[in-house]
Amino acid sequence: MTRATDYTLDHLDHLESEAIHIFREVEGEFERPVILFSGGKDSVVMLHLALKAFAPAPLPFALLHVDTGHNFPEVLTYRDDTVARTGARLYVAKVQDYIDDGRLRERPDGTRNPLQTVPLLDAIESGRFDAVFGGGRRDEEKARAKERVFSLRDAFGAWDPRRQRPELWDLYNGRHAPGEHVRVFPLSNWTELDVWRYIERERIELPAIYYAHRREVFLRDGMWLTAGDWGGPRQGETVEERTVRYRTVGDMSCTGAVESEAADVADVILEVAASRVTERGATRADDRLSEAAMEDRKKQGYF
């Protein structure tokens, strides 16, 4: 006899089912979707879900990475290994190329995260991508909490919260004019804790820097940053070796580590469950530039 509980989905099952539905909906509505893939945990989970949505068929989407030139080497190695393992097509837009030919200039603070916008928009235009999957979650930052799952971007890649469309009953509107595109966020309703619990359940491999390790870091504005060729440390900033891990991964110049002994997924889940600060709030210097830093960048075409 079949019991009702045999058909009961838990919280992670619901989130997975929603994300897979979104991937399939985009494949049916758009001509050239692409997945933003940096090797960070959210993009890794997103790729895992996309592969699951179309298995055993190959992934129908290409991957796109905007490389700042200040990425963690461990993450770039993971990115390339993942592309080789999955057989995915990878496009890389390099910020360094734009600096070298004068289209962009280095910022005084050394961070290149805000410089990703122009290469991203150029890659979308040249690749004729009409839907761009991003790993943004609503719990990360207040500007991202305003996003719909399907986020319309104008011909300049800009986001206008007033143009957000209702998504009642999980009905998604992908209509867009020539030159416009839609950013799609399959993990919108996930939290950081959900992501880690899913990683544990699915046994998803991540770059090692997400777990506790010894690293040379220095303290700046209350954050432990990695010493490197990007411009740190400055005079008066002392490099020391500490046991740290990263809650989020981005440009080395603006992504801080947290002191941690969490050496595996179970330890990280306990740590995240006890935290009262989002990973971006705790470890991303570029979000501290102003109260509206993320929203300003999104209006310019940022992720």
Side-chain angles (χ1 to χ4, degrees):
M1 179 178 177
T2 302
R3 298 170 298 176
T5 53
D6 293 337
Y7 298 101
T8 301
L9 300 179
D10 66 14
H11 179 60
L12 290 181
D13 290 329
H14 279 289
L15 291 173
E16 178 188 72
S17 177
E18 178 187 56
I20 286 174
H21 166 66
I22 291 166
F23 278 111
R24 291 172 177 169
E25 187 76 11
V26 169
E27 172 63 7
E29 280 195 51
F30 295 85
E31 293 184 7
R32 287 181 61 84
V34 69
I35 298 175
L36 294 175
F37 184 75
S38 64
K41 69 180 187 308
D42 296 320
S43 67
V44 170
V45 167
M46 191 166 57
L47 176 58
H48 178 86
L49 288 162
L51 290 166
K52 205 167 186 178
F54 300 101
L59 185 70
F61 313 127
L63 308 181
L64 171 62
H65 181 213
V66 182
D67 185 354
T68 66
H70 290 166
N71 295 103
F72 293 91
E74 304 98 316
V75 179
L76 291 180
T77 298
Y78 176 91
R79 180 201 70 184
D80 294 339
D81 290 346
T82 299
V83 169
R85 174 175 55 82
T86 61
R89 293 164 293 155
L90 174 67
Y91 297 91
V92 180
K94 296 183 178 181
V95 171
Q96 187 64 54
D97 291 343
Y98 283 70
I99 293 173
D100 290 345
D101 64 20
R103 285 177 287 175
L104 290 174
R105 293 183 180 179
E106 292 277 18
R107 291 167 52 91
D109 59 9
T111 181
R112 288 185 176 179
N113 243 35
L115 302 184
Q116 291 176 290
T117 301
V118 174
L120 170 65
L121 295 178
D122 284 353
I124 291 172
E125 182 180 7
S126 62
R128 295 182 291 109
F129 300 124
D130 53 356
V132 182
F133 290 103
R137 308 187 321 266
R138 289 177 179 144
D139 72 318
E140 287 183 274
E141 202 273 343
K142 56 190 177 184
R144 285 187 166 168
K146 298 179 181 180
E147 286 276 22
R148 298 287 193 266
V149 174
F150 277 32
S151 178
L152 181 66
R153 303 299 174 102
D154 66 20
F156 301 99
W159 172 73
D160 184 348
R162 295 169 298 182
R163 296 185 70 197
Q164 297 290 290
R165 296 160 172 170
E167 293 178 338
L168 304 176
W169 306 293
D170 294 336
L171 296 175
Y172 304 113
N173 184 350
R175 287 182 300 172
H176 58 285
E180 296 180 337
H181 69 276
V182 175
R183 305 281 174 93
V184 183
F185 301 100
L187 306 184
S188 283
N189 293 324
W190 298 53
T191 66
E192 182 185 8
L193 189 57
D194 292 330
V195 169
W196 278 105
R197 285 175 171 161
Y198 190 74
I199 289 167
E200 180 183 47
R201 191 184 83 171
E202 299 289 302
R203 299 180 181 179
I204 299 173
E205 183 181 348
L206 292 180
I209 64 174
Y210 277 107
Y211 305 107
H213 59 286
R214 299 291 291 179
R215 181 178 288 267
E216 289 189 345
V217 293
F218 63 93
L219 192 63
R220 178 182 295 173
D221 298 328
M223 292 197 308
W224 293 107
L225 299 178
T226 294
D229 296 336
W230 58 267
R234 299 170 183 157
Q235 187 173 3
E237 294 174 332
T238 303
V239 174
E240 51 189 287
E241 189 175 277
R242 288 180 174 262
T243 301
V244 299
R245 75 173 193 87
Y246 287 86
R247 289 180 65 182
T248 182
V249 171
D251 192 314
M252 281 193 290
S253 62
C254 66
T255 306
V258 295
E259 294 189 79
S260 173
E261 298 292 338
D264 57 29
V265 178
D267 289 342
V268 171
I269 288 174
L270 291 175
E271 191 176 89
V272 171
S275 176
R276 291 297 176 265
V277 182
T278 68
E279 71 261 48
R280 292 194 72 92
T283 65
R284 294 299 285 268
D286 53 333
D287 287 342
R288 300 181 180 185
L289 297 175
S290 75
E291 282 292 319
M294 173 65 81
E295 183 156 345
D296 291 342
R297 293 202 304 276
K298 283 163 62 67
K299 288 178 179 178
Q300 296 166 2
Y302 186 71
F303 307 136

